[in-house]
Amino acid sequence: MNKYTIDLANSCLGCKKPSCEKGCPVGTPIETMIRMFLSGQIAEAGKMLFENNPLSVICSLVCPHEKHCEGHCVLNKKKTAVSVGAIEHYISDFYMNSTEFTKPEYNGHNVAIIGSGPAGISLAFILAAKGYGITMYDGQSKIGGVLRYGIPDFRLDKNVLDRLIKKLKTLGVKIRRNIMIGKHITVDDLFRDGFKAVFVSIGINIPKKLDIKGESLGHVHFAVNYLKEPSVYDLGNKVVILGAGNVAMDVARTAVRNRAKEVIVMYRKGEENIPAEKHEIECAKIDGVKFHFYKEAIEITDDGVIYKKTDTEDETGFESANTIIISISQNPNDILVKNAKIDVNEKGLVNLDEKGMTSRKGVFSAGDIVTGARTVVEAVALSKKVAISIDEYIQSLD
């Protein structure tokens, strides 16, 4: 047993009305979890966490805890919030390593899941446990979506994800890789082949452009592409990142770990306006990342970035760089939704009714393709609600 984890758990006050739980998008029973852990019921606590959140072992690592559970802890007044994430991960990791999953009895109904990110994996676990035959489709060779291709290894060890996927297969989930639904196979084909419902969770993985001169040059890359396989990029000594969200922090810290000697985050506003979480900014600074504020890129050249100062009038400057990485946002991949004739809003995000169904009967959705870029735990929370709706919908067909 890890004494450090026990000490962390003992710091919990055991509040009768835990505010930490109110701050969690999936309502993790934190006080109960800690109480069970300290009383020697670690396996039972792990089972409870998994049933509440199939991605507990991952969320405990990658969640912005200072925004959710830990940010709501009453001990924040003394700046000593309980380290919920560390405790939850210890318990969830124990459960994943010690528990054998078994395939449930098939209930006679099949569900197709398009996309294998947090929303898709969560829904697969929930419905497979109910006996549904699940087939998951993904355009990549490995499943996991943003968990595999968008979160750096130093934040999420991919062995954790691989263990989770192994459990998913044990439940009987079939995985079809390297296939783009909407291009090779359509939603119509899925319904033709006996799927009673289709769940769309393809994320938003098309990089947004700055639309400035020089954006097509060879030393310019998009963040979402860079994070997929950073080891193949020759960054050179100096990297400038345009944008300052959480993804930009991941890019900056990854570049440092890939031998860039100087990494600069260039942002058009001041530090108080940075969209990234405070903790992510602090981690980047500790890693040696520099921040240049009130600078907006207006042109990219072979040698660097021409910018204008946004806190003064008519002042421009130049920042040399071997590599420029654009990290301002992502857009939805619209091939599937267009071909499936699914209604979207002005941002290209999928419209849902109160049950999580799209404009097309039998097609449901959740994740970033519905909400825009959100946290992993928020994707899980929406998937849990939609899983209930899919189950009710299919049962109503009988």
Side-chain angles (χ1 to χ4, degrees):
M1 181 62 68
N2 189 320
K3 182 180 182 299
Y4 171 69
T5 309
I6 296 174
D7 290 342
L8 293 177
N10 277 320
S11 70
C12 178
L13 299 178
C15 303
K16 290 184 178 180
K17 295 183 179 180
S19 55
C20 56
E21 295 179 9
K22 295 179 182 178
C24 176
V26 290
T28 300
I30 296 167
E31 190 276 332
T32 303
M33 168 192 80
I34 292 175
R35 181 160 35 86
M36 292 175 73
F37 170 69
L38 291 174
S39 64
Q41 297 175 285
I42 186 170
E44 294 83 352
K47 183 174 185 290
M48 176 187 69
L49 289 174
F50 178 78
E51 290 178 349
N52 177 68
N53 175 3
L55 297 189
S56 175
V57 71
I58 287 177
C59 288
S60 57
L61 291 173
V62 304
C63 260
H65 299 102
E66 68 283 355
K67 175 183 176 182
H68 296 315
C69 54
E70 294 176 16
H72 288 74
C73 177
V74 295
L75 290 176
N76 268 310
K77 296 175 182 177
K78 297 182 179 179
K79 296 185 178 181
T80 55
V82 177
S83 297
V84 176
I87 301 167
E88 182 182 0
H89 184 71
Y90 188 94
I91 297 169
S92 295
D93 190 61
F94 178 93
Y95 178 74
M96 281 293 156
N97 285 330
S98 62
T99 304
E100 292 295 329
F101 284 37
T102 57
K103 183 179 178 180
E105 183 180 350
Y106 176 50
N107 68 10
H109 301 299
N110 296 328
V111 176
I113 297 176
I114 305 172
S116 66
I121 293 175
S122 300
L123 189 103
F125 268 118
I126 295 168
L127 292 186
K130 292 179 177 291
Y132 285 96
I134 305 295
T135 301
M136 181 178 285
Y137 302 85
D138 198 273
Q140 303 293 334
S141 60
K142 295 183 178 181
I143 76 167
V146 69
L147 299 175
R148 185 175 300 280
Y149 296 108
I151 300 178
D153 290 346
F154 61 82
R155 287 185 59 210
L156 175 61
D157 184 341
K158 299 309 181 289
N159 288 324
V160 176
L161 177 59
D162 290 337
R163 280 191 290 132
L164 200 64
I165 293 168
K166 189 175 181 180
K167 300 291 186 184
L168 202 59
K169 291 179 179 178
T170 304
L171 294 178
V173 174
K174 298 175 182 177
I175 299 171
R176 188 165 174 178
R177 311 162 196 266
N178 293 318
I179 186 163
M180 296 288 290
I181 302 298
K183 187 176 181 180
H184 304 109
I185 289 178
T186 67
V187 170
D188 287 337
D189 294 332
L190 297 175
F191 282 123
R192 178 202 64 195
D193 292 341
F195 289 99
K196 295 294 181 66
V198 174
F199 180 72
V200 177
S201 58
I202 54 176
I204 50 173
N205 54 13
I206 304 300
K208 189 174 181 180
K209 297 193 302 178
L210 282 170
D211 285 326
I212 61 174
K213 185 178 180 181
E215 203 166 8
S216 66
L217 296 177
H219 63 311
V220 181
H221 308 289
F222 291 108
V224 66
N225 297 332
Y226 172 68
L227 288 174
K228 282 183 181 178
E229 199 172 1
S231 62
V232 305
Y233 288 78
D234 182 9
L235 300 178
N237 290 328
K238 186 175 179 181
V239 178
V240 171
I241 297 155
L242 306 179
N246 286 330
V247 174
M249 299 306 113
D250 282 344
V251 169
R253 298 179 67 197
T254 302
V256 170
R257 287 162 173 77
N258 280 273
R259 297 177 297 282
K261 290 184 170 58
E262 185 177 7
V263 178
I264 296 171
V265 169
M266 185 179 290
Y267 185 50
R268 60 191 176 87
K269 297 182 180 179
E271 184 166 7
E272 67 280 3
N273 301 117
I274 290 184
E277 300 292 335
K278 184 178 179 181
H279 174 72
E280 299 299 328
I281 299 167
E282 290 173 348
C283 287
K285 288 181 177 179
I286 288 172
D287 283 350
V289 176
K290 298 176 182 178
F291 289 79
H292 289 190
F293 299 109
Y294 300 109
K295 293 180 179 180
E296 182 176 5
I298 57 174
E299 183 180 340
I300 299 171
T301 73
D302 286 328
D303 300 313
V305 179
I306 299 172
Y307 62 84
K308 67 177 181 180
K309 294 280 288 180
T310 58
D311 58 344
T312 58
E313 290 186 11
D314 301 322
E315 184 179 348
T316 61
F318 178 78
E319 187 68 53
S320 64
N322 301 111
T323 297
I324 294 97
I325 301 179
I326 298 169
S327 180
I328 56 171
S329 188
Q330 291 90 243
N331 291 317
N333 187 336
D334 60 0
I335 294 175
L336 168 63
V337 293
K338 279 186 176 180
N339 289 347
K341 297 180 174 62
I342 296 171
D343 288 348
V344 296
N345 63 20
E346 66 279 359
K347 295 181 179 179
L349 301 175
V350 172
N351 289 321
L352 301 180
D353 66 13
E354 67 279 359
K355 293 289 187 178
M357 191 186 293
T358 69
S359 58
R360 182 162 182 181
K361 185 178 180 181
V363 179
F364 297 77
S365 190
D368 288 354
I369 190 63
V370 173
T371 62
R374 297 288 181 87
T375 61
V376 173
V377 71
E378 287 171 308
V380 174
L382 183 54
S383 290
K384 285 179 64 177
K385 294 177 182 178
V386 177
I388 295 171
S389 297
I390 292 176
D391 185 37
E392 292 175 346
Y393 169 76
I394 293 178
Q395 297 308 316
S396 72
L397 299 176
D398 292 341

